[in-house]
Every structure is written in C-alpha cells, then in structure tokens.
Amino acid sequence: MAPVLIAVALGILVGHFNLLPHNRKITERFTTLCLFVMLLAMGAQLGANEKLLADLGSLGWQALVLAFGSIVGSVLLVRLAESHIAKQLQKSREEGK
C-alpha cells in the first residue's frame, strides 16, 4: 500500500510544481501512456505467477470477469476523475479572470 501512496504523493507534487507541460494533449497522452504501462506491468506480473496460471482453469470465468471488471472500472474511474478535475480547474480559472 505504501508504494501506491508514494506514487500518488509524487503525482501531486509533479502537478503542484507544474513539472509537466501545460499542453493538455501532451498531459493526456502522458497519462494514458502511464496507465497502459501500469496495466502491462500488472499483466506481466500475473502472467509470471505460475500458481495462478495453473489454477486458472479451476477459477473459471468468475476470475476472468473480476479481473476484466477491475481493469475497466479502474480506467473508467480514472477518466471520470480526470474529467471532473479538469472541469473544476476550468471553472476555477474562469472565476479568477
């Protein structure tokens, strides 16, 4: 759990100190790239687990659906949070003008 919290804290610091370009397209592409790298790493870790692969037949579709649902849910929630934060920032900028 600590690495996740550290990653979130580092992300907050990167955003706070404006270490990424202000170009929205570049930031969106960077975010998407990082998400795909994270998903690839998770898939590689699961694929390297021999016990999991051996038990996959007995786990059945339920495990597959749970894993797929977790991935899709994570992607959708990140997109939703990103959209909400972007709207709030835009609203804040408009009120500041």
Side-chain angles (χ1 to χ4, degrees), residues 3 10 36 40 44 55 61-63 75 90:
L10 287 174
F36 283 129
L40 177 70
D55 293 340
W61 287 99
Q62 193 174 24
V75 170
Q90 183 66 27

Side-chain angles (χ1 to χ4, degrees), residues 29-44:
R29 287 182 181 162
F30 179 72
T31 302
T32 303
L33 175 69
C34 289
L35 181 61
F36 283 129
V37 168
M38 181 187 72
L39 292 173
L40 177 70
M42 287 174 52

Side-chain angles (χ1 to χ4, degrees), residues 46-60:
L46 290 174
N49 187 339
E50 292 179 17
K51 181 168 176 22
L52 177 70
L53 291 178
D55 293 340
L56 193 56
S58 64
L59 294 174

Side-chain angles (χ1 to χ4, degrees), residues 57-97:
S58 64
L59 294 174
W61 287 99
Q62 193 174 24
L64 184 63
V65 169
L66 181 63
F68 184 74
S70 297
I71 292 168
V72 170
S74 295
V75 170
L76 290 176
L77 286 175
V78 165
R79 293 287 187 181
L80 182 65
E82 180 184 25
S83 173
H84 176 72
I85 291 170
K87 286 178 185 176
Q88 292 296 327
L89 287 173
Q90 183 66 27
K91 183 179 176 183
S92 176
R93 288 182 187 138
E94 289 174 358
E95 289 176 356
K97 289 183 180 179

